[in-house]
Amino acid sequence: MSQAPAPSPELPAEDERVEIERVAVEVSMAAARLLVDERPHDLGVDTTKSSRSDVVTVMDLRSQDLIMERIAAARPHDAVFGEERGGVDGTGAVTWVVDPIDGTVNYLYDIPAYAVSVAAVVGDPRVPGGFTAFVGVVVNPVTGEIFRARSGGGAWSGRPGRADERVLAAPGPDLGLALVGTGFGYAAERRRWQARVLGDLLPRVRDIRREGGAALDLCHVATGRLDAFYETGLNPWDLAAAWVVAREAGVVVGGLDGPETPGPDLTWAAGPALAGPFSAAVIEATRAHRGV
Ligand code: IPD
């Protein structure tokens, strides 16, 4: 029998959250510069993970190392949980959840739709539903666009040379007029049923986009570039930072069990008016094809 996740510990106080957000912005921007400035001309695949299309480049590793070094210098008691190299244990309550490149395949092909994603959470990020993300920063290194949020502080976006702007999500259109982002896992068997879920949804919405980076997709729901997003198989590092941005912007983020339950089984996001009909359609299609 699966055990219920332990309740998350309390969030750090506001002044500590502000400081953690400052560190998250600094390390994400530094990693973003590294990815652009030091991208090798002959960038290739370093290793593969769940399938031969699930790739790691040398720059994923360098970006992760840089982020871990800077977090260790600024916040030596915190734990780090990252997509590459696992992570380090801490002695305090805060864990950093790091994706050094979200959208690695786009980075490999030099498609400018990838991100550095850095979150701070309390609880256990390894357990779905076992953690609360309270700071999130997502940076697109190519455009320099940054999305940042902390619990209670709102969501903000910024671009080089421009003042930061508050991000407030729109309620969302009717389901039939919704522009929906999604993504697919790397394993062939999962892709087979993900295609069937997509087949159910496509006739019911305005159109589908598959940009290739879940963190940016979720931020784009916050800014209105997408009306909604869903995917099965997201890892905590794909999700944690953008979840804070979306939540603070007023986007409803949920999973198979409804709002506030995103995780590997299903993550969906939409503005408050669209969230009900969209989540019903996505949950129904996912349960039908995945058998959960
Ligand atoms: C991937 C991207 C992609 C999503 C995959 C993720 P990665 O992250 O976010 O859009 O569809 O599920 O694994 O592997 O590039 O960090």
Side-chain angles (χ1 to χ4, degrees), residues 81-205:
F81 178 52
E83 178 169 18
E84 318 303 342
R85 305 212 196 280
V88 290
D89 292 337
T91 53
V94 174
T95 300
W96 294 76
V97 180
V98 172
D99 193 342
I101 307 179
D102 184 52
T104 301
V105 174
N106 281 349
Y107 185 68
L108 184 66
Y109 281 74
D110 207 11
I111 297 171
Y114 55 89
V116 177
S117 170
V118 173
V121 313
V122 289
D124 187 349
R126 291 167 186 81
V127 180
F131 68 96
T132 303
F134 63 92
V135 163
V137 175
V138 176
V139 182
N140 178 330
V142 184
T143 62
E145 190 170 28
I146 181 167
F147 304 94
R148 62 177 174 86
R150 68 172 190 280
S151 291
W156 298 82
S157 72
R159 276 179 190 265
R162 278 203 223 162
D164 286 2
E165 286 174 12
R166 184 85 193 253
V167 180
L168 290 171
D174 289 351
L175 183 61
L177 290 179
L179 185 63
V180 176
T182 191
F184 310 110
Y186 293 107
E189 185 43 43
R190 173 174 288 159
R191 286 180 170 190
R192 237 170 244 122
W193 64 257
Q194 283 183 321
R196 291 196 284 270
V197 172
L198 182 65
D200 280 5
L201 290 173
L202 186 54
R204 303 183 63 185
V205 299

Side-chain angles (χ1 to χ4, degrees), residues 6-90:
S8 288
E10 280 188 13
L11 301 187
E14 168 67 0
D15 57 348
E16 192 180 357
R17 295 204 295 269
V18 170
E19 169 59 10
I20 290 171
E21 185 184 10
R22 187 194 65 73
V23 173
V25 168
E26 191 220 296
V27 302
S28 312
M29 299 286 278
R33 279 192 298 273
L34 174 87
L35 292 176
V36 171
D37 292 349
E38 300 195 25
R39 183 181 193 281
H41 293 298
D42 59 347
L43 181 70
V45 173
D46 190 73
T47 44
T48 58
K49 295 186 284 188
S50 59
S51 80
R52 68 197 179 107
S53 56
D54 185 3
V55 300
V56 182
T57 72
V58 66
M59 295 304 286
D60 291 81
L61 303 174
R62 289 188 59 195
S63 174
Q64 173 100 23
D65 289 347
L66 179 148
I67 293 168
M68 288 178 73
E69 275 164 31
R70 294 207 177 196
I71 290 173
R75 305 261 320 167
H77 303 298
D78 294 351
V80 182
F81 178 52
E83 178 169 18
E84 318 303 342
R85 305 212 196 280
V88 290
D89 292 337

Side-chain angles (χ1 to χ4, degrees), residues 173-182 198 201-211 225-230 274 278:
D174 289 351
L175 183 61
L177 290 179
L179 185 63
V180 176
T182 191
L198 182 65
L201 290 173
L202 186 54
R204 303 183 63 185
V205 299
R206 181 194 290 271
D207 209 343
I208 294 285
R209 295 289 180 270
R210 197 296 192 238
E211 197 179 14
R225 288 178 199 154
L226 291 172
D227 295 311
F229 168 78
Y230 77 96
L274 176 59
F278 178 69

